[in-house]
Amino acid sequence: MPAVDLIQEWQRAEEKFFAAYRTIYAKLRRGAYVDAEELADLAELSRAARAQHRDYVASVTCADPPAVP
């Protein structure tokens, strides 16, 4: 996959993560309840964004970066 496509996928993954983060942050600022499932979803979006970044870095450096925990 071309690096341009990989960076666009990475950007989309980050946008999803930050949208979820902003939603949770707004709830917390209002004093609303944030359940464990929402936090787990946020963690999964974070992992997906890091995986996309790892794939992008690997494609432009031709190296295998460390695995995403």
Side-chain angles (χ1 to χ4, degrees):
M1 181 179 291
V4 172
D5 293 339
L6 288 171
I7 200 165
Q8 288 173 344
E9 285 184 15
W10 169 36
Q11 288 171 334
R12 284 190 292 273
E14 277 195 330
E15 288 168 4
K16 288 179 186 177
F17 166 76
F18 284 115
Y21 174 83
R22 284 189 296 273
T23 299
I24 289 173
Y25 182 75
K27 285 176 126 180
L28 291 172
R29 297 263 309 164
R30 290 191 314 264
Y33 177 75
V34 177
D35 65 13
E37 187 175 318
E38 288 177 286
L39 294 175
D41 290 344
L42 183 65
E44 181 55 39
L45 289 171
S46 175
R47 279 196 275 308
R50 286 184 286 147
Q52 289 295 336
H53 179 258
R54 186 195 68 221
D55 292 347
Y56 167 70
V57 169
S59 76
V60 296
T61 63
C62 298
D64 240 355
V68 175

